Amino acid sequence: MFWYTFLGYFLFTYLTYGVQASVEGYISPSDNKKFLSVLIKSLSGDNVDLSGIYNGVIGLKLLNEQIGSEIAKKNCEYIQKSFKDDEDPEIIFHVFTAWSKLGCSGKIHKEDTLKFLRNVLTKEKSSLSDLRFSVEALKAVGENAPNPAKISQLLQSKLKEDDSLQSLGHALHASVHLGSHGKFALDRVEDIVVQLDEVNGKLLQWEGGLSTTSLLLTGLLNLEGIKPLTQIQADKIANYLLTRKTVQTSKGIVVLLEAIKALTSSSVSPVSIGVIGKPSVSIEKPELKVRVSDLLGSPLKPVPGPVVAVSATRVVDDVVVLSKKPLSAGSGPTEFTLPLLLDPDHYQIVLSAGSHTVNLHVRVLGPVNIKSFEIGLADVDGTSGTQLTKLDFPNKLTKGLQADSSHLLISKFSLSRSVHQTFLRLHSPKKEIIFIAEVDSNKLYKIEVNINSEFTYSGVFDMELILGDPVMSNPIKWNLGKIDINLGKTEPELKSTKGPKPEIKHLFRQAEKRPSTTVSLLFSILTAAPLLLLLILWLKIGLNFSNFSVISLPFHLGFGSILCLFLCFWLKLDMFTTCAWLIPLGIFTFLSGHKVLSKIANSKKSEKKD
């Protein structure tokens, strides 16, 4: 048993070795049109800046679009007016590149600017991004980086301090321009690739989103002499990039196109296989048009191999209905045609182009014909026979049906093939009821409607037969005629809800009765009694001012201020204002009181010693 299992595993591994998946999406003409409008706006809009001009120019070049002479002239003038020599290296790189790509006359770079860039490449405090853009800015004006060995040492020392993904990306881009001194970047490739994050088993990206992924991807694919990614990894990264086609800024468009361009021109260029238009064909037009291209929609060079439909499986029962059928060339270099002479249904098709495969879900549509149709009335108790009238599509009843509470509405029909949706719709201006047909073992559809239980009021209804299906090319909505239902009760007219609402009158609670003047006066006297008692005692006992000192004056002022504040609160202030004043007064009174108590305690200690 072990050997049979081992042999089966070996054969499966051997047969599937080298087979790669593919991607279905690509940068379509509609995507290019959307990108183009954003990029042109960055060159001719009101909020033009130096980085926006760079992104607009590079984006148009990536789309192989020409820049109008008027737009180019306008942006050249803006660059010349706005560019300053003390800009940071990234802005300088953007300016030098945009100036060159726009074909502006003269030179934008000055010796002072180049000297500034050379100084950046010698300073240990320069960041990795400054080192990268300084090297690339010098390269943009045809000048090689001075002292590549020194720059290489600076890059490596900076990576020891900060080896984040952004820093690694800048180091990769700078190392490409250092010749043999940039080979240190090769030692970082494995560390970068292993940090790829997988999403749902289908996407690969680096943490940081599109900008970080594009920075690292373009940097890796610019390295010479290595193959940093496998084909499966490249396909999954391509799937991620294609999910970001919704970017709305010129910078986002540029980083997306740069990443896709780098992937497309690499040795692991993903193959995009997908259906042109809707993933459905009809029996009348069975040709399924398939597109096989790179991520930019261009023909593959070289073509990875013949395009073949490996299999087509009916979804409902997993029956293989087609096997190893080559596709014929279509009208364009990326178009291929597969005739699907199959019965209407859902199919799973496996397509291959060389070692690249893709699974496509396709529908084959076909018409449905009504073979027979009958409709009529029958008694609920079965005392009289059923009277059904035969109809041919698309005719309708010449005379409407007359029904009451003792009748059943019966409809029977058969179709050329079964469908998912079969409805009988009865509707009037006031009501609509839909009934579902049931199919028996002989594939005969039947609908029975009990008039007494389904309807409450009399009325005249239109009858419609509705047939639909996901693989039905001719959905049917057939007007059968009218049925007059008489139940002896007429549906009451609904009152209109339009117009002004009745006025809402509020009843406020009446004020409570206040106590009498005598009670209020007595309560005030009782409240003031402690203060009166204090004054009486002071008059009788007397006041001792002998121990009063100046140091206790702040305490008494603070305490008196608090009492005055309470009086103001009672007369005028609200609680929030009172608390705002009480906090500083309370702190002042507490500290001054603590000072007075400390002095009294110290004086008592000195008296005891004496």
Side-chain angles (χ1 to χ4, degrees):
M1 184 66 180
F2 169 80
W3 290 108
Y4 285 115
T5 305
F6 176 80
L7 181 61
Y9 176 78
F10 174 79
L11 288 174
F12 174 79
T13 305
Y14 175 78
L15 291 173
T16 58
Y17 179 77
V19 175
Q20 308 291 346
S22 68
V23 296
E24 292 187 39
Y26 74 112
I27 302 298
S28 64
S30 61
D31 296 325
N32 287 335
K33 186 177 180 181
K34 181 190 69 174
F35 294 159
L36 186 61
S37 64
V38 176
L39 295 171
I40 291 178
K41 186 177 180 180
S42 69
L43 291 175
S44 58
D46 297 331
N47 299 321
V48 176
D49 58 12
L50 296 175
S51 294
I53 293 174
Y54 165 81
N55 290 320
V57 171
I58 297 300
L60 291 175
K61 293 295 182 182
L62 290 170
L63 292 176
N64 297 320
E65 294 288 341
Q66 296 296 325
I67 301 174
S69 58
E70 289 296 326
I71 294 178
K73 181 180 178 181
K74 175 185 174 183
N75 285 279
C76 288
E77 292 174 353
Y78 180 85
I79 292 174
Q80 196 164 27
K81 180 181 67 175
S82 304
F83 178 58
K84 299 177 182 179
D85 296 337
D86 58 348
E87 301 279 3
D88 65 82
E90 183 176 2
I91 297 295
I92 295 174
F93 167 70
H94 289 171
V95 169
F96 286 1
T97 305
W99 186 268
S100 174
K101 299 293 184 183
L102 284 170
C104 303
S105 58
K107 292 183 178 181
I108 191 65
H109 59 280
K110 299 178 182 178
E111 186 57 34
D112 291 340
T113 310
L114 301 181
K115 185 178 179 181
F116 168 75
L117 295 174
R118 297 188 196 104
N119 290 335
V120 171
L121 295 174
T122 60
K123 292 180 180 179
E124 294 186 358
K125 292 184 178 180
S126 299
S127 65
L128 278 164
S129 63
D130 287 344
L131 293 172
R132 172 223 170 163
F133 287 115
S134 295
V135 171
E136 292 187 336
L138 291 172
K139 192 72 175 179
V141 293
E143 184 173 327
N144 293 326
N147 198 351
K150 174 65 175 177
I151 299 173
S152 177
Q153 291 176 0
L154 277 175
L155 291 172
Q156 294 180 68
S157 63
K158 289 296 178 181
L159 285 177
K160 291 179 181 179
E161 299 173 5
D162 178 17
D163 62 347
S164 63
L165 290 175
Q166 283 279 345
S167 299
L168 288 169
H170 290 309
L172 288 177
H173 282 267
S175 67
V176 175
H177 305 289
L178 301 180
S180 60
H181 297 285
K183 290 185 177 180
F184 71 90
L186 299 177
D187 299 330
R188 294 284 187 163
V189 171
E190 185 178 351
D191 181 38
I192 295 172
V193 174
V194 79
Q195 295 188 61
L196 277 165
D197 295 333
E198 189 167 17
V199 182
N200 297 329
K202 297 180 180 180
L203 311 178
L204 278 179
Q205 69 172 88
W206 278 282
E207 184 180 358
L210 177 60
S211 59
T212 303
T213 301
S214 177
L215 176 69
L216 292 169
L217 181 64
T218 52
L220 287 174
L221 296 178
N222 282 336
L223 298 176
E224 296 182 356
I226 64 166
K227 186 179 179 180
L229 300 172
T230 65
Q231 187 65 56
I232 293 177
Q233 289 173 329
D235 289 344
K236 290 183 177 181
I237 292 175
N239 285 330
Y240 166 73
L241 294 175
L242 292 172
T243 64
R244 301 305 305 273
K245 294 193 298 181
T246 56
V247 288
Q248 301 292 327
T249 62
S250 58
K251 181 180 179 181
I253 292 170
V254 168
V255 296
L256 173 65
L257 293 177
E258 284 179 339
I260 290 180
K261 195 92 171 183
L263 260 184
T264 302
S265 58
S266 69
S267 59
V268 288
S269 175
V271 175
S272 175
I273 306 176
V275 177
I276 299 175
K278 296 182 179 179
S280 61
V281 298
S282 64
I283 291 179
E284 296 82 6
K285 295 181 179 180
E287 292 79 15
L288 179 69
K289 295 182 179 180
V290 177
R291 171 192 41 77
V292 180
S293 67
D294 60 19
L295 294 178
L296 295 171
S298 302
L300 297 171
K301 296 179 181 180
V303 179
V307 182
V308 178
V310 179
S311 65
T313 305
R314 192 163 50 227
V315 175
V316 67
D317 53 10
D318 291 333
V319 173
V320 177
V321 295
L322 184 148
S323 178
K324 295 182 180 180
K325 185 175 182 61
L327 276 69
S328 58
S331 58
T334 63
E335 184 178 313
F336 296 84
T337 303
L338 172 65
L340 291 178
L341 303 175
L342 304 173
D343 294 331
D345 217 322
H346 294 265
Y347 296 91
Q348 196 75 22
I349 299 177
V350 179
L351 293 179
S352 70
S355 61
H356 299 269
T357 62
V358 67
N359 291 323
L360 301 176
H361 185 89
V362 179
R363 293 182 301 161
V364 177
L365 308 180
V368 173
N369 299 320
I370 301 175
K371 298 168 64 176
S372 63
F373 183 86
E374 295 179 303
I375 191 168
L377 300 172
D379 290 337
V380 175
D381 54 9
T383 54
S384 63
T386 305
Q387 297 178 355
L388 299 180
T389 302
K390 292 184 179 181
L391 285 178
D392 295 326
F393 180 78
N395 300 327
K396 63 179 182 180
L397 294 170
T398 56
K399 185 179 180 182
L401 300 177
Q402 302 290 329
D404 55 33
S405 59
S406 64
H407 285 131
L408 293 174
L409 174 63
I410 298 177
S411 174
K412 297 179 182 180
F413 56 94
S414 62
L415 307 175
S416 58
R417 61 179 176 87
S418 60
V419 296
H420 287 175
Q421 299 172 337
T422 52
F423 304 127
L424 179 63
R425 175 174 176 253
L426 273 64
H427 64 96
S428 70
K430 296 181 179 181
K431 194 170 186 179
E432 176 188 59
I433 303 179
I434 296 177
F435 304 97
I436 302 174
E438 296 181 355
V439 61
D440 59 19
S441 57
N442 297 322
K443 296 185 178 181
L444 180 66
Y445 291 87
K446 186 176 181 181
I447 299 174
E448 286 191 5
V449 180
N450 191 320
I451 300 297
N452 188 47
S453 61
E454 297 292 345
F455 295 87
T456 307
Y457 302 103
S458 301
V460 178
F461 294 85
D462 290 304
M463 298 182 292
E464 285 182 343
L465 180 68
I466 300 174
L467 304 178
D469 193 87
V471 292
M472 183 177 176
S473 60
N474 61 330
I476 294 174
K477 188 177 182 181
W478 182 9
N479 185 5
L480 302 172
K482 296 183 179 293
I483 179 172
D484 186 359
I485 298 175
N486 185 9
L487 299 178
K489 293 187 292 182
T490 305
E491 187 173 359
E493 291 291 335
L494 295 176
K495 293 184 179 180
S496 175
T497 57
K498 297 180 179 179
K501 301 290 184 181
E503 182 182 357
I504 300 175
K505 296 182 179 180
H506 296 279
L507 179 64
F508 295 96
R509 188 179 66 174
Q510 295 181 354
E512 295 181 359
K513 187 178 181 181
R514 294 190 175 189
S516 63
T517 306
T518 305
V519 174
S520 299
L521 183 61
L522 178 62
F523 181 78
S524 299
I525 294 173
L526 292 175
T527 304
L531 180 60
L532 294 174
L533 179 62
L534 177 63
L535 295 175
I536 293 171
L537 292 175
W538 276 352
L539 293 173
K540 186 176 182 180
I541 299 174
L543 295 175
N544 184 13
F545 290 100
S546 60
N547 291 329
F548 184 80
S549 61
V550 179
I551 197 171
S552 63
L553 183 61
F555 169 74
H556 290 89
L557 290 175
F559 182 69
S561 300
I562 293 175
L563 295 178
C564 292
L565 180 64
F566 286 162
L567 178 62
C568 293
F569 170 64
W570 185 38
L571 296 175
K572 184 178 181 181
L573 299 180
D574 55 34
M575 183 175 64
F576 298 101
T577 307
T578 304
C579 290
W581 282 97
L582 181 61
I583 292 173
L585 289 176
I587 295 173
F588 172 77
T589 305
F590 171 76
L591 295 176
S592 57
H594 183 270
K595 186 70 176 178
V596 172
L597 292 175
S598 298
K599 182 183 178 183
I600 294 173
N602 292 332
S603 63
K604 288 184 178 181
K605 287 182 180 179
S606 61
E607 289 177 358
K608 288 182 180 180
K609 290 180 180 180
D610 296 338

